[in-house]
Amino acid sequence: ASRAKHHAGARASAQTLGVMNEYRVSYDENYVLRSIERYRRQRHVYPWFIAVKIVCALGLAALISVVIYGAMSSPSKSGPLMLIGLVLGFFLLLLVQGPRIDYFFLKRKLRRSPFYGDELKIRVSAEGVAVNAPKAETSLKWSAFTRARRLAAGFLLFTEPTVFHWWPDSALTQGTPAEVESLLRQNVVAYEEQ
């Protein structure tokens, strides 16, 4: 009986190794911004960082109110004070907007990419990962991946601490998320679930 179990397990393992899973994504703003958003969400945000942002926002708001009060109480000096108030307001706006500014510049840079709008085929197998696009092809062995993480809507894989690949479940055209997860568990040393 134990021998039969061993053969059944070996067959199941061989089947998993032979599976070819394929993702198809369009390399555009939607995909890239979603990838960055997933990456940022899974990072740990330290409470002190949020506290510093809140203190800075409150400090800038207080300075703006002092400037406005000064401009209203002495109309002769209102010009320079309003200019100072506008500068402070601009910095407050930057603080509140945060990543949206990054996204704006990233979209502009992305549109100049020669790969913009191309369909990427990401094939995941026991040998590793192959990415095919109309203008380029690349392949990575599993040893290139340092960490993988299962998120609610897909997998986030890292080749370096800040270099990542996003494989959304919705883009999986061949295979299943369970098969991809099995390959990641077998081949990536640091595999985490959300």
Side-chain angles (χ1 to χ4, degrees):
S2 65
R3 203 169 212 195
K5 275 185 184 177
H6 174 73
H7 288 303
R11 274 198 308 273
S13 178
Q15 286 172 353
T16 302
L17 292 175
V19 167
M20 175 68 76
N21 300 280
E22 185 176 275
Y23 292 87
R24 288 183 185 223
V25 295
S26 179
Y27 188 73
D28 58 12
E29 297 161 10
N30 189 28
Y31 173 69
V32 172
L33 293 182
R34 246 195 260 154
S35 301
I36 292 170
E37 185 181 315
R38 300 290 182 196
Y39 168 71
R40 286 183 171 168
R41 273 195 205 162
Q42 62 86 38
R43 285 175 46 204
H44 297 290
V45 178
Y46 298 104
W48 62 265
F49 181 74
I50 294 170
V52 167
K53 283 186 82 166
I54 291 170
V55 167
C56 289
L58 291 174
L60 284 170
L63 284 172
I64 291 169
S65 62
V66 167
V67 168
I68 290 172
Y69 175 76
M72 290 173 64
S73 60
S74 61
S76 62
K77 298 178 183 175
S78 66
L81 287 174
M82 290 308 281
L83 181 62
I84 292 169
L86 285 173
V87 169
L88 292 172
F90 174 72
F91 283 111
L92 182 62
L93 182 67
L94 289 179
L95 187 66
V96 170
Q97 290 301 310
R100 289 183 188 91
I101 296 167
D102 293 345
Y103 292 162
F104 172 76
F105 287 110
L106 183 67
K107 283 180 189 179
R108 291 186 60 178
K109 188 176 179 182
L110 182 64
R111 287 186 194 121
R112 291 191 295 257
S113 168
F115 303 106
Y116 181 74
D118 283 356
E119 183 183 67
L120 306 179
K121 293 178 186 173
I122 304 164
R123 293 190 175 104
V124 184
S125 68
E127 290 75 38
V129 178
V131 181
N132 297 313
K135 299 179 186 100
E137 289 183 13
T138 187
S139 61
L140 295 167
K141 299 270 185 207
W142 284 115
S143 57
F145 295 97
T146 56
R147 187 164 60 103
R149 190 166 201 187
R150 175 66 175 152
L151 301 178
F155 298 96
L156 195 61
L157 288 89
F158 295 84
T159 51
E160 292 178 33
T162 57
V163 178
F164 59 91
H165 306 264
W166 170 240
W167 299 346
D169 290 343
S170 59
L172 191 60
T173 58
Q174 188 176 332
T176 66
E179 291 168 349
V180 174
E181 183 173 8
S182 176
L183 286 168
L184 294 175
R185 282 184 185 279
Q186 290 171 24
N187 297 292
V188 180
V189 176
Y191 178 78
E192 309 164 7
E193 289 190 53
Q194 189 179 26

